[in-house]
Amino acid sequence: MATEEHPTLEPVIWFEGTLIRDPLPLRVQDDWLLETLSDPDGNGRKITIRARGAEHSENISRNARKGTRLMVKGTAGDEGSGIDIEATSLAFDPSHDEPEKQ
């Protein structure tokens, strides 16, 4: 039950994927569109992610290229916007994705 004291919380989405193209800057400064596949080795679904803000912009400019692995934390995009996830946190080439050393 949602009240003013306890508003409805949006579910948090965690997602791992691979960029299928270089990030696209949108019309507004520090606003980016990232296109990923959820399963690049199979018949993965394309997922569109929007990342806003100077911190994301710096991270994307420095680390994101087609083929880069990423981990995203975010919320669902607005229905009909074409955005699947609004990113709140991005990590490129997450450390847990590295091959284990023997």
Side-chain angles (χ1 to χ4, degrees), residues 56-73:
H56 284 312
S57 188
E58 183 180 332
N59 188 12
I60 290 167
S61 295
R62 199 171 356 111
N63 299 301
R65 305 286 176 270
K66 179 180 177 180
T68 302
R69 299 276 304 148
L70 75 156
M71 180 180 282
V72 178
K73 176 183 174 186

Side-chain angles (χ1 to χ4, degrees), residues 15 18-21 24 33-39 43-49 82-85:
F15 164 76
T18 302
L19 292 175
I20 58 174
R21 65 173 56 185
L24 303 169
L33 189 68
L34 303 151
E35 292 183 342
T36 66
L37 283 182
S38 57
D39 178 15
N43 295 324
R45 178 178 178 268
K46 182 176 101 171
I47 297 174
T48 303
I49 301 161
I83 304 296
D84 297 309
I85 298 173

